[in-house]
Amino acid sequence: MSRVLLFSLVLALSSAASATVPVGTIALYSDGRVEKLIAIEDQGLRWEDDRKRQFLRSRNPAIPVLESRQIMTGRFYFQELDSGDPERLKELPLGTPVHFTMTRHRDGGAKKRDWKCEFLGSKREEVLGQSQTLDRYRCVRSALSRKFHYSVRDSREFTYSPELGVLVQMERKTRTRTQTRELVGLFRPGETDHKTLSRTVRKIRAD
């Protein structure tokens, strides 16, 4: 994404960043991902992307996606906490690891996933033209290999805005690739139209 486009987005969207993100808000990321907040539920926030995939995310960003549902195909999975207490992350000294296990249910089967997360601290930073408190985390998922030793399958370091309820920046590494993502736009309901948003997304994906 060009610096000129990013700068213009910041100017255009600075009014979108506030302490409350209402249903209908659209989040735009530097990798071209677009998500719309479609519901606020007891367990967390439900987002839908432009490929009609829904994601239910906990208000605790260290907890992986609680539910993923592909509306077009009907495929889905959900996860639940099996052991551990990731809610303690911000209560412990900075950098203290918290281990927890999630059970993923999919197609009639279930698989446990072991996570270790650390809360790395909070600081004020400018997000889309406004000062926000950002929380920083590091999370690693490990699995027991056939040789009976644990290997890292997924590692993520990210910043999250508890005021906005959105991921601001993330670097994710798996065994096959590295992904980076940064929040570049946050549109409240009525602040953009489909044509303008589509044009902006095409420019980002083309860079």
Side-chain angles (χ1 to χ4, degrees), residues 22-205:
V23 170
T25 294
I26 296 174
L28 176 62
Y29 288 91
S30 58
D31 59 357
R33 190 180 184 101
V34 183
E35 294 187 351
K36 182 177 182 179
L37 181 63
I38 61 172
I40 298 175
E41 304 179 12
D42 291 341
Q43 287 185 295
L45 307 181
R46 185 176 295 274
W47 296 82
E48 183 175 273
D49 68 10
D50 57 341
R51 295 166 61 184
K52 294 298 180 181
R53 299 178 300 180
Q54 292 185 9
F55 305 93
L56 178 60
R57 298 192 175 98
S58 170
R59 291 177 178 82
N60 181 344
I63 297 176
V65 170
L66 295 172
E67 180 189 302
S68 174
R69 185 178 298 272
Q70 298 185 28
I71 304 301
M72 304 298 290
T73 65
R75 297 177 61 185
F76 77 97
Y77 71 80
F78 69 92
Q79 299 192 100
E80 56 187 356
L81 184 65
D82 184 68
S83 64
D85 188 4
E87 298 297 338
R88 297 185 63 224
L89 273 165
K90 296 181 72 171
E91 301 171 2
L92 299 171
L94 295 183
T96 301
V98 171
H99 296 261
F100 60 96
T101 299
M102 303 289 295
T103 299
R104 178 181 287 199
H105 300 268
R106 169 183 244 155
D107 298 328
K111 186 176 182 179
K112 295 184 183 297
R113 295 186 161 208
D114 297 320
W115 287 90
K116 180 184 74 173
C117 290
E118 304 164 63
F119 175 60
L120 304 177
S122 302
K123 61 179 178 179
R124 298 290 294 184
E125 286 190 11
E126 190 170 281
V127 178
L128 302 179
Q130 292 197 5
S131 178
Q132 298 286 333
T133 297
L134 300 183
D135 293 340
R136 187 164 160 251
Y137 295 83
R138 181 188 297 121
C139 291
V140 174
R141 180 172 67 85
S142 300
L144 190 64
S145 71
R146 293 180 180 178
K147 296 182 178 180
F148 300 102
H149 65 81
Y150 279 91
S151 61
V152 174
R153 301 296 179 87
D154 189 340
S155 66
R156 310 175 185 188
E157 190 162 325
F158 56 91
T159 54
Y160 175 84
S161 169
E163 298 172 51
L164 300 175
V166 297
L167 186 76
V168 173
Q169 190 175 43
M170 180 180 72
E171 180 179 273
R172 180 186 181 190
K173 296 181 180 179
T174 64
R175 291 180 295 177
T176 58
R177 61 177 177 171
T178 298
Q179 299 171 281
T180 58
R181 179 182 302 162
E182 183 176 354
L183 181 71
V184 295
L186 201 61
F187 299 85
R188 286 171 172 266
E191 287 187 335
T192 187
D193 54 54
H194 179 74
K195 183 177 181 180
T196 301
L197 182 62
S198 297
R199 184 169 58 247
T200 302
V201 172
R202 285 196 300 269
K203 288 181 180 179
I204 292 174
R205 291 175 176 173

